[in-house]
């Protein structure tokens, strides 16, 4: 989901792209200026088990490749 600069969810229509390789939100109203947050559920993963927390096939000897804590991942963006 998307959170606006006011901290509230942005209302709109989500769309899944071809082969489920992308996600798009068409807001019900025009985007407002400011920083928005794309919030990604930590359980989202591909068929191989790769997720936003970490890759399935990883080097177990490298601690920097350890999976991230199970919580949503947030990406900040500004609509243009």
């Amino acid at each position: 989901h998307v959170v606006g600069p006011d901290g509230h969810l942005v209302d709109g229509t989500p769309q899944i792209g071809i082969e489920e390789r992308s996600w798009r939100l068409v807001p019900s109203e025009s985007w407002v200026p400011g920083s928005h947050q794309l919030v990604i559920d930590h359980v989202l993963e591909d068929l191989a088990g790769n997720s936003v927390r970490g890759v399935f096939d990883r080097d177990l000897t490298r601690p920097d490749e350890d999976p991230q804590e199970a919580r949503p991942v947030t990406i900040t963006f500004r609509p243009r």
Side-chain angles (χ1 to χ4, degrees):
H1 59 271
V2 175
V3 178
D6 60 0
H8 292 98
L9 292 178
V10 175
D11 188 37
T13 305
Q15 299 176 343
I16 306 297
I18 297 172
E19 296 183 0
E20 299 181 350
R21 292 179 174 238
S22 63
W23 181 85
R24 175 180 170 173
L25 178 71
V26 179
S28 300
E29 299 179 11
S30 295
W31 291 102
V32 297
S35 293
H36 290 66
Q37 304 289 319
L38 173 62
V39 182
I40 306 162
D41 192 333
H42 69 277
V43 299
L44 181 66
E45 64 183 29
D46 66 11
L47 294 174
N50 300 305
S51 74
V52 294
R53 293 179 302 173
V55 296
F56 174 75
D57 184 18
R58 61 189 177 89
D59 185 344
L60 297 175
T61 65
R62 295 185 56 189
D64 60 315
E65 289 192 17
D66 285 346
Q68 301 297 312
E69 184 178 328
R71 64 176 189 252
V73 174
T74 304
I75 299 172
T76 301
F77 72 97
R78 289 181 173 271
R80 295 191 234 173

PDB file of all heavy atoms in Angstrom, residues 12-43:
ATOM      1  N   GLY A  12      -6.991   4.383  -3.956  1.00  0.00           N
ATOM      2  CA  GLY A  12      -6.851   4.251  -5.393  1.00  0.00           C
ATOM      3  C   GLY A  12      -7.066   2.821  -5.842  1.00  0.00           C
ATOM      4  O   GLY A  12      -7.458   1.959  -5.059  1.00  0.00           O
ATOM      5  N   THR A  13      -6.785   2.600  -7.117  1.00  0.00           N
ATOM      6  CA  THR A  13      -6.968   1.293  -7.724  1.00  0.00           C
ATOM      7  C   THR A  13      -5.609   0.665  -8.017  1.00  0.00           C
ATOM      8  O   THR A  13      -4.840   1.208  -8.815  1.00  0.00           O
ATOM      9  CB  THR A  13      -7.757   1.420  -9.046  1.00  0.00           C
ATOM     10  OG1 THR A  13      -8.986   2.091  -8.777  1.00  0.00           O
ATOM     11  CG2 THR A  13      -8.028   0.062  -9.659  1.00  0.00           C
ATOM     12  N   PRO A  14      -5.298  -0.468  -7.363  1.00  0.00           N
ATOM     13  CA  PRO A  14      -4.029  -1.139  -7.663  1.00  0.00           C
ATOM     14  C   PRO A  14      -4.131  -1.918  -8.967  1.00  0.00           C
ATOM     15  O   PRO A  14      -5.197  -2.416  -9.325  1.00  0.00           O
ATOM     16  CB  PRO A  14      -3.829  -2.081  -6.480  1.00  0.00           C
ATOM     17  CG  PRO A  14      -5.204  -2.334  -5.960  1.00  0.00           C
ATOM     18  CD  PRO A  14      -6.022  -1.112  -6.288  1.00  0.00           C
ATOM     19  N   GLN A  15      -3.026  -2.003  -9.684  1.00  0.00           N
ATOM     20  CA  GLN A  15      -2.967  -2.761 -10.930  1.00  0.00           C
ATOM     21  C   GLN A  15      -1.714  -3.626 -10.926  1.00  0.00           C
ATOM     22  O   GLN A  15      -0.638  -3.161 -10.565  1.00  0.00           O
ATOM     23  CB  GLN A  15      -2.938  -1.813 -12.134  1.00  0.00           C
ATOM     24  CG  GLN A  15      -4.161  -0.937 -12.242  1.00  0.00           C
ATOM     25  CD  GLN A  15      -4.048   0.066 -13.387  1.00  0.00           C
ATOM     26  OE1 GLN A  15      -2.969   0.326 -13.912  1.00  0.00           O
ATOM     27  NE2 GLN A  15      -5.166   0.648 -13.759  1.00  0.00           N
ATOM     28  N   ILE A  16      -1.872  -4.885 -11.329  1.00  0.00           N
ATOM     29  CA  ILE A  16      -0.747  -5.816 -11.440  1.00  0.00           C
ATOM     30  C   ILE A  16      -0.293  -5.839 -12.893  1.00  0.00           C
ATOM     31  O   ILE A  16      -1.102  -5.968 -13.810  1.00  0.00           O
ATOM     32  CB  ILE A  16      -1.160  -7.244 -10.996  1.00  0.00           C
ATOM     33  CG1 ILE A  16      -1.778  -7.225  -9.595  1.00  0.00           C
ATOM     34  CG2 ILE A  16       0.012  -8.197 -11.092  1.00  0.00           C
ATOM     35  CD1 ILE A  16      -0.853  -6.778  -8.508  1.00  0.00           C
ATOM     36  N   GLY A  17       1.015  -5.722 -13.117  1.00  0.00           N
ATOM     37  CA  GLY A  17       1.561  -5.691 -14.467  1.00  0.00           C
ATOM     38  C   GLY A  17       1.673  -7.068 -15.103  1.00  0.00           C
ATOM     39  O   GLY A  17       1.356  -8.095 -14.496  1.00  0.00           O
ATOM     40  N   ILE A  18       2.155  -7.080 -16.319  1.00  0.00           N
ATOM     41  CA  ILE A  18       2.327  -8.302 -17.105  1.00  0.00           C
ATOM     42  C   ILE A  18       3.225  -9.273 -16.350  1.00  0.00           C
ATOM     43  O   ILE A  18       4.268  -8.890 -15.821  1.00  0.00           O
ATOM     44  CB  ILE A  18       2.934  -7.969 -18.485  1.00  0.00           C
ATOM     45  CG1 ILE A  18       1.959  -7.083 -19.276  1.00  0.00           C
ATOM     46  CG2 ILE A  18       3.261  -9.239 -19.257  1.00  0.00           C
ATOM     47  CD1 ILE A  18       2.548  -6.549 -20.560  1.00  0.00           C
ATOM     48  N   GLU A  19       2.808 -10.537 -16.307  1.00  0.00           N
ATOM     49  CA  GLU A  19       3.526 -11.615 -15.620  1.00  0.00           C
ATOM     50  C   GLU A  19       3.763 -11.298 -14.148  1.00  0.00           C
ATOM     51  O   GLU A  19       4.719 -11.792 -13.551  1.00  0.00           O
ATOM     52  CB  GLU A  19       4.832 -11.941 -16.334  1.00  0.00           C
ATOM     53  CG  GLU A  19       4.648 -12.480 -17.735  1.00  0.00           C
ATOM     54  CD  GLU A  19       5.956 -12.864 -18.401  1.00  0.00           C
ATOM     55  OE1 GLU A  19       7.030 -12.722 -17.787  1.00  0.00           O
ATOM     56  OE2 GLU A  19       5.895 -13.312 -19.557  1.00  0.00           O
ATOM     57  N   GLU A  20       2.938 -10.437 -13.568  1.00  0.00           N
ATOM     58  CA  GLU A  20       3.035 -10.059 -12.157  1.00  0.00           C
ATOM     59  C   GLU A  20       4.422  -9.527 -11.798  1.00  0.00           C
ATOM     60  O   GLU A  20       4.942  -9.757 -10.720  1.00  0.00           O
ATOM     61  CB  GLU A  20       2.642 -11.225 -11.258  1.00  0.00           C
ATOM     62  CG  GLU A  20       1.211 -11.682 -11.481  1.00  0.00           C
ATOM     63  CD  GLU A  20       0.802 -12.833 -10.586  1.00  0.00           C
ATOM     64  OE1 GLU A  20       1.666 -13.418  -9.907  1.00  0.00           O
ATOM     65  OE2 GLU A  20      -0.392 -13.148 -10.575  1.00  0.00           O
ATOM     66  N   ARG A  21       5.035  -8.779 -12.714  1.00  0.00           N
ATOM     67  CA  ARG A  21       6.374  -8.235 -12.497  1.00  0.00           C
ATOM     68  C   ARG A  21       6.357  -6.789 -12.017  1.00  0.00           C
ATOM     69  O   ARG A  21       7.410  -6.214 -11.763  1.00  0.00           O
ATOM     70  CB  ARG A  21       7.204  -8.341 -13.771  1.00  0.00           C
ATOM     71  CG  ARG A  21       7.517  -9.769 -14.126  1.00  0.00           C
ATOM     72  CD  ARG A  21       8.322  -9.842 -15.404  1.00  0.00           C
ATOM     73  NE  ARG A  21       8.725 -11.197 -15.646  1.00  0.00           N
ATOM     74  CZ  ARG A  21       9.979 -11.577 -15.765  1.00  0.00           C
ATOM     75  NH1 ARG A  21      10.944 -10.706 -15.676  1.00  0.00           N
ATOM     76  NH2 ARG A  21      10.259 -12.833 -15.986  1.00  0.00           N
ATOM     77  N   SER A  22       5.188  -6.197 -11.946  1.00  0.00           N
ATOM     78  CA  SER A  22       5.109  -4.823 -11.471  1.00  0.00           C
ATOM     79  C   SER A  22       3.773  -4.588 -10.772  1.00  0.00           C
ATOM     80  O   SER A  22       2.830  -5.371 -10.914  1.00  0.00           O
ATOM     81  CB  SER A  22       5.275  -3.836 -12.636  1.00  0.00           C
ATOM     82  OG  SER A  22       4.215  -3.997 -13.567  1.00  0.00           O
ATOM     83  N   TRP A  23       3.748  -3.517 -10.010  1.00  0.00           N
ATOM     84  CA  TRP A  23       2.538  -3.117  -9.285  1.00  0.00           C
ATOM     85  C   TRP A  23       2.408  -1.619  -9.445  1.00  0.00           C
ATOM     86  O   TRP A  23       3.407  -0.889  -9.382  1.00  0.00           O
ATOM     87  CB  TRP A  23       2.661  -3.489  -7.815  1.00  0.00           C
ATOM     88  CG  TRP A  23       1.472  -3.154  -6.981  1.00  0.00           C
ATOM     89  CD1 TRP A  23       0.368  -3.919  -6.817  1.00  0.00           C
ATOM     90  CD2 TRP A  23       1.270  -1.984  -6.179  1.00  0.00           C
ATOM     91  NE1 TRP A  23      -0.519  -3.306  -5.969  1.00  0.00           N
ATOM     92  CE2 TRP A  23       0.017  -2.103  -5.559  1.00  0.00           C
ATOM     93  CE3 TRP A  23       2.016  -0.848  -5.925  1.00  0.00           C
ATOM     94  CZ2 TRP A  23      -0.493  -1.141  -4.714  1.00  0.00           C
ATOM     95  CZ3 TRP A  23       1.510   0.117  -5.081  1.00  0.00           C
ATOM     96  CH2 TRP A  23       0.266  -0.043  -4.486  1.00  0.00           C
ATOM     97  N   ARG A  24       1.186  -1.172  -9.664  1.00  0.00           N
ATOM     98  CA  ARG A  24       0.936   0.251  -9.896  1.00  0.00           C
ATOM     99  C   ARG A  24      -0.294   0.657  -9.119  1.00  0.00           C
ATOM    100  O   ARG A  24      -1.259  -0.115  -9.015  1.00  0.00           O
ATOM    101  CB  ARG A  24       0.717   0.462 -11.386  1.00  0.00           C
ATOM    102  CG  ARG A  24       0.327   1.830 -11.782  1.00  0.00           C
ATOM    103  CD  ARG A  24       0.139   1.870 -13.282  1.00  0.00           C
ATOM    104  NE  ARG A  24      -0.478   3.132 -13.645  1.00  0.00           N
ATOM    105  CZ  ARG A  24      -0.652   3.533 -14.879  1.00  0.00           C
ATOM    106  NH1 ARG A  24      -0.261   2.765 -15.875  1.00  0.00           N
ATOM    107  NH2 ARG A  24      -1.225   4.671 -15.119  1.00  0.00           N
ATOM    108  N   LEU A  25      -0.281   1.849  -8.561  1.00  0.00           N
ATOM    109  CA  LEU A  25      -1.446   2.389  -7.877  1.00  0.00           C
ATOM    110  C   LEU A  25      -1.903   3.624  -8.630  1.00  0.00           C
ATOM    111  O   LEU A  25      -1.136   4.570  -8.814  1.00  0.00           O
ATOM    112  CB  LEU A  25      -1.132   2.764  -6.426  1.00  0.00           C
ATOM    113  CG  LEU A  25      -2.303   3.389  -5.669  1.00  0.00           C
ATOM    114  CD1 LEU A  25      -3.374   2.335  -5.385  1.00  0.00           C
ATOM    115  CD2 LEU A  25      -1.847   4.036  -4.383  1.00  0.00           C
ATOM    116  N   VAL A  26      -3.147   3.591  -9.091  1.00  0.00           N
ATOM    117  CA  VAL A  26      -3.752   4.766  -9.717  1.00  0.00           C
ATOM    118  C   VAL A  26      -4.603   5.424  -8.638  1.00  0.00           C
ATOM    119  O   VAL A  26      -5.630   4.879  -8.233  1.00  0.00           O
ATOM    120  CB  VAL A  26      -4.618   4.362 -10.937  1.00  0.00           C
ATOM    121  CG1 VAL A  26      -5.262   5.594 -11.553  1.00  0.00           C
ATOM    122  CG2 VAL A  26      -3.777   3.605 -11.958  1.00  0.00           C
ATOM    123  N   PRO A  27      -4.155   6.581  -8.126  1.00  0.00           N
ATOM    124  CA  PRO A  27      -4.866   7.197  -7.017  1.00  0.00           C
ATOM    125  C   PRO A  27      -6.240   7.718  -7.429  1.00  0.00           C
ATOM    126  O   PRO A  27      -6.457   8.093  -8.577  1.00  0.00           O
ATOM    127  CB  PRO A  27      -3.947   8.340  -6.590  1.00  0.00           C
ATOM    128  CG  PRO A  27      -3.117   8.643  -7.778  1.00  0.00           C
ATOM    129  CD  PRO A  27      -3.004   7.365  -8.553  1.00  0.00           C
ATOM    130  N   SER A  28      -7.164   7.727  -6.468  1.00  0.00           N
ATOM    131  CA  SER A  28      -8.515   8.240  -6.716  1.00  0.00           C
ATOM    132  C   SER A  28      -8.496   9.740  -6.972  1.00  0.00           C
ATOM    133  O   SER A  28      -9.354  10.263  -7.674  1.00  0.00           O
ATOM    134  CB  SER A  28      -9.422   7.948  -5.516  1.00  0.00           C
ATOM    135  OG  SER A  28      -9.506   6.568  -5.302  1.00  0.00           O
ATOM    136  N   GLU A  29      -7.538  10.431  -6.366  1.00  0.00           N
ATOM    137  CA  GLU A  29      -7.365  11.869  -6.554  1.00  0.00           C
ATOM    138  C   GLU A  29      -5.926  12.113  -6.979  1.00  0.00           C
ATOM    139  O   GLU A  29      -5.077  11.237  -6.865  1.00  0.00           O
ATOM    140  CB  GLU A  29      -7.673  12.601  -5.250  1.00  0.00           C
ATOM    141  CG  GLU A  29      -9.103  12.388  -4.778  1.00  0.00           C
ATOM    142  CD  GLU A  29      -9.390  13.105  -3.466  1.00  0.00           C
ATOM    143  OE1 GLU A  29      -8.551  13.928  -3.031  1.00  0.00           O
ATOM    144  OE2 GLU A  29     -10.440  12.839  -2.880  1.00  0.00           O
ATOM    145  N   SER A  30      -5.643  13.315  -7.441  1.00  0.00           N
ATOM    146  CA  SER A  30      -4.276  13.641  -7.871  1.00  0.00           C
ATOM    147  C   SER A  30      -3.299  13.453  -6.711  1.00  0.00           C
ATOM    148  O   SER A  30      -3.643  13.660  -5.548  1.00  0.00           O
ATOM    149  CB  SER A  30      -4.208  15.095  -8.342  1.00  0.00           C
ATOM    150  OG  SER A  30      -5.004  15.276  -9.489  1.00  0.00           O
ATOM    151  N   TRP A  31      -2.079  13.064  -7.062  1.00  0.00           N
ATOM    152  CA  TRP A  31      -1.032  12.941  -6.057  1.00  0.00           C
ATOM    153  C   TRP A  31      -0.807  14.292  -5.404  1.00  0.00           C
ATOM    154  O   TRP A  31      -0.778  15.321  -6.076  1.00  0.00           O
ATOM    155  CB  TRP A  31       0.280  12.481  -6.693  1.00  0.00           C
ATOM    156  CG  TRP A  31       0.277  11.080  -7.199  1.00  0.00           C
ATOM    157  CD1 TRP A  31       0.158  10.689  -8.499  1.00  0.00           C
ATOM    158  CD2 TRP A  31       0.430   9.887  -6.434  1.00  0.00           C
ATOM    159  NE1 TRP A  31       0.225   9.326  -8.579  1.00  0.00           N
ATOM    160  CE2 TRP A  31       0.381   8.798  -7.331  1.00  0.00           C
ATOM    161  CE3 TRP A  31       0.582   9.623  -5.082  1.00  0.00           C
ATOM    162  CZ2 TRP A  31       0.498   7.485  -6.914  1.00  0.00           C
ATOM    163  CZ3 TRP A  31       0.695   8.314  -4.670  1.00  0.00           C
ATOM    164  CH2 TRP A  31       0.658   7.263  -5.576  1.00  0.00           C
ATOM    165  N   VAL A  32      -0.614  14.306  -4.096  1.00  0.00           N
ATOM    166  CA  VAL A  32      -0.283  15.549  -3.399  1.00  0.00           C
ATOM    167  C   VAL A  32       1.230  15.656  -3.315  1.00  0.00           C
ATOM    168  O   VAL A  32       1.936  14.642  -3.310  1.00  0.00           O
ATOM    169  CB  VAL A  32      -0.915  15.601  -1.981  1.00  0.00           C
ATOM    170  CG1 VAL A  32      -2.421  15.594  -2.071  1.00  0.00           C
ATOM    171  CG2 VAL A  32      -0.441  14.463  -1.112  1.00  0.00           C
ATOM    172  N   PRO A  33       1.758  16.877  -3.280  1.00  0.00           N
ATOM    173  CA  PRO A  33       3.211  17.032  -3.174  1.00  0.00           C
ATOM    174  C   PRO A  33       3.734  16.476  -1.852  1.00  0.00           C
ATOM    175  O   PRO A  33       3.019  16.438  -0.856  1.00  0.00           O
ATOM    176  CB  PRO A  33       3.411  18.557  -3.224  1.00  0.00           C
ATOM    177  CG  PRO A  33       2.126  19.120  -3.722  1.00  0.00           C
ATOM    178  CD  PRO A  33       1.057  18.148  -3.370  1.00  0.00           C
ATOM    179  N   GLY A  34       4.970  16.044  -1.863  1.00  0.00           N
ATOM    180  CA  GLY A  34       5.605  15.571  -0.641  1.00  0.00           C
ATOM    181  C   GLY A  34       6.035  14.125  -0.715  1.00  0.00           C
ATOM    182  O   GLY A  34       5.779  13.417  -1.693  1.00  0.00           O
ATOM    183  N   SER A  35       6.699  13.681   0.350  1.00  0.00           N
ATOM    184  CA  SER A  35       7.209  12.312   0.426  1.00  0.00           C
ATOM    185  C   SER A  35       6.086  11.328   0.719  1.00  0.00           C
ATOM    186  O   SER A  35       5.293  11.546   1.620  1.00  0.00           O
ATOM    187  CB  SER A  35       8.269  12.198   1.523  1.00  0.00           C
ATOM    188  OG  SER A  35       9.407  12.931   1.175  1.00  0.00           O
ATOM    189  N   HIS A  36       6.055  10.265  -0.043  1.00  0.00           N
ATOM    190  CA  HIS A  36       5.108   9.169   0.140  1.00  0.00           C
ATOM    191  C   HIS A  36       5.896   7.919   0.517  1.00  0.00           C
ATOM    192  O   HIS A  36       7.100   7.843   0.291  1.00  0.00           O
ATOM    193  CB  HIS A  36       4.331   8.906  -1.152  1.00  0.00           C
ATOM    194  CG  HIS A  36       3.354   9.978  -1.507  1.00  0.00           C
ATOM    195  ND1 HIS A  36       3.729  11.245  -1.843  1.00  0.00           N
ATOM    196  CD2 HIS A  36       2.007   9.943  -1.590  1.00  0.00           C
ATOM    197  CE1 HIS A  36       2.653  11.966  -2.113  1.00  0.00           C
ATOM    198  NE2 HIS A  36       1.599  11.192  -1.965  1.00  0.00           N
ATOM    199  N   GLN A  37       5.222   6.937   1.042  1.00  0.00           N
ATOM    200  CA  GLN A  37       5.854   5.678   1.429  1.00  0.00           C
ATOM    201  C   GLN A  37       5.162   4.516   0.715  1.00  0.00           C
ATOM    202  O   GLN A  37       3.943   4.386   0.797  1.00  0.00           O
ATOM    203  CB  GLN A  37       5.741   5.453   2.938  1.00  0.00           C
ATOM    204  CG  GLN A  37       6.300   6.564   3.788  1.00  0.00           C
ATOM    205  CD  GLN A  37       7.806   6.612   3.738  1.00  0.00           C
ATOM    206  OE1 GLN A  37       8.461   5.594   3.767  1.00  0.00           O
ATOM    207  NE2 GLN A  37       8.352   7.807   3.664  1.00  0.00           N
ATOM    208  N   LEU A  38       5.943   3.703   0.013  1.00  0.00           N
ATOM    209  CA  LEU A  38       5.455   2.433  -0.512  1.00  0.00           C
ATOM    210  C   LEU A  38       5.772   1.406   0.557  1.00  0.00           C
ATOM    211  O   LEU A  38       6.936   1.229   0.927  1.00  0.00           O
ATOM    212  CB  LEU A  38       6.154   2.080  -1.826  1.00  0.00           C
ATOM    213  CG  LEU A  38       5.851   0.699  -2.394  1.00  0.00           C
ATOM    214  CD1 LEU A  38       4.370   0.564  -2.727  1.00  0.00           C
ATOM    215  CD2 LEU A  38       6.698   0.441  -3.622  1.00  0.00           C
ATOM    216  N   VAL A  39       4.750   0.747   1.094  1.00  0.00           N
ATOM    217  CA  VAL A  39       4.929  -0.218   2.176  1.00  0.00           C
ATOM    218  C   VAL A  39       4.714  -1.617   1.601  1.00  0.00           C
ATOM    219  O   VAL A  39       3.633  -1.921   1.081  1.00  0.00           O
ATOM    220  CB  VAL A  39       3.955   0.065   3.339  1.00  0.00           C
ATOM    221  CG1 VAL A  39       4.190  -0.910   4.477  1.00  0.00           C
ATOM    222  CG2 VAL A  39       4.107   1.506   3.822  1.00  0.00           C
ATOM    223  N   ILE A  40       5.741  -2.460   1.686  1.00  0.00           N
ATOM    224  CA  ILE A  40       5.719  -3.790   1.089  1.00  0.00           C
ATOM    225  C   ILE A  40       5.673  -4.829   2.203  1.00  0.00           C
ATOM    226  O   ILE A  40       6.531  -4.840   3.084  1.00  0.00           O
ATOM    227  CB  ILE A  40       6.961  -4.023   0.209  1.00  0.00           C
ATOM    228  CG1 ILE A  40       7.083  -2.902  -0.826  1.00  0.00           C
ATOM    229  CG2 ILE A  40       6.915  -5.388  -0.448  1.00  0.00           C
ATOM    230  CD1 ILE A  40       8.445  -2.787  -1.443  1.00  0.00           C
ATOM    231  N   ASP A  41       4.685  -5.701   2.167  1.00  0.00           N
ATOM    232  CA  ASP A  41       4.543  -6.753   3.178  1.00  0.00           C
ATOM    233  C   ASP A  41       5.729  -7.706   3.087  1.00  0.00           C
ATOM    234  O   ASP A  41       6.121  -8.134   1.997  1.00  0.00           O
ATOM    235  CB  ASP A  41       3.240  -7.511   2.944  1.00  0.00           C
ATOM    236  CG  ASP A  41       2.861  -8.423   4.086  1.00  0.00           C
ATOM    237  OD1 ASP A  41       3.763  -8.887   4.807  1.00  0.00           O
ATOM    238  OD2 ASP A  41       1.670  -8.687   4.258  1.00  0.00           O
ATOM    239  N   HIS A  42       6.304  -8.057   4.221  1.00  0.00           N
ATOM    240  CA  HIS A  42       7.499  -8.912   4.247  1.00  0.00           C
ATOM    241  C   HIS A  42       7.242 -10.329   3.752  1.00  0.00           C
ATOM    242  O   HIS A  42       8.179 -11.039   3.445  1.00  0.00           O
ATOM    243  CB  HIS A  42       8.082  -8.957   5.655  1.00  0.00           C
ATOM    244  CG  HIS A  42       7.217  -9.697   6.635  1.00  0.00           C
ATOM    245  ND1 HIS A  42       6.163  -9.107   7.278  1.00  0.00           N
ATOM    246  CD2 HIS A  42       7.251 -10.978   7.055  1.00  0.00           C
ATOM    247  CE1 HIS A  42       5.576 -10.002   8.064  1.00  0.00           C
ATOM    248  NE2 HIS A  42       6.228 -11.132   7.950  1.00  0.00           N
ATOM    249  N   VAL A  43       5.994 -10.755   3.644  1.00  0.00           N
ATOM    250  CA  VAL A  43       5.715 -12.118   3.173  1.00  0.00           C
ATOM    251  C   VAL A  43       5.676 -12.210   1.649  1.00  0.00           C
ATOM    252  O   VAL A  43       5.631 -13.312   1.106  1.00  0.00           O
ATOM    253  CB  VAL A  43       4.391 -12.680   3.765  1.00  0.00           C
ATOM    254  CG1 VAL A  43       4.466 -12.758   5.271  1.00  0.00           C
ATOM    255  CG2 VAL A  43       3.201 -11.878   3.318  1.00  0.00           C
TER     256      VAL A  43
END
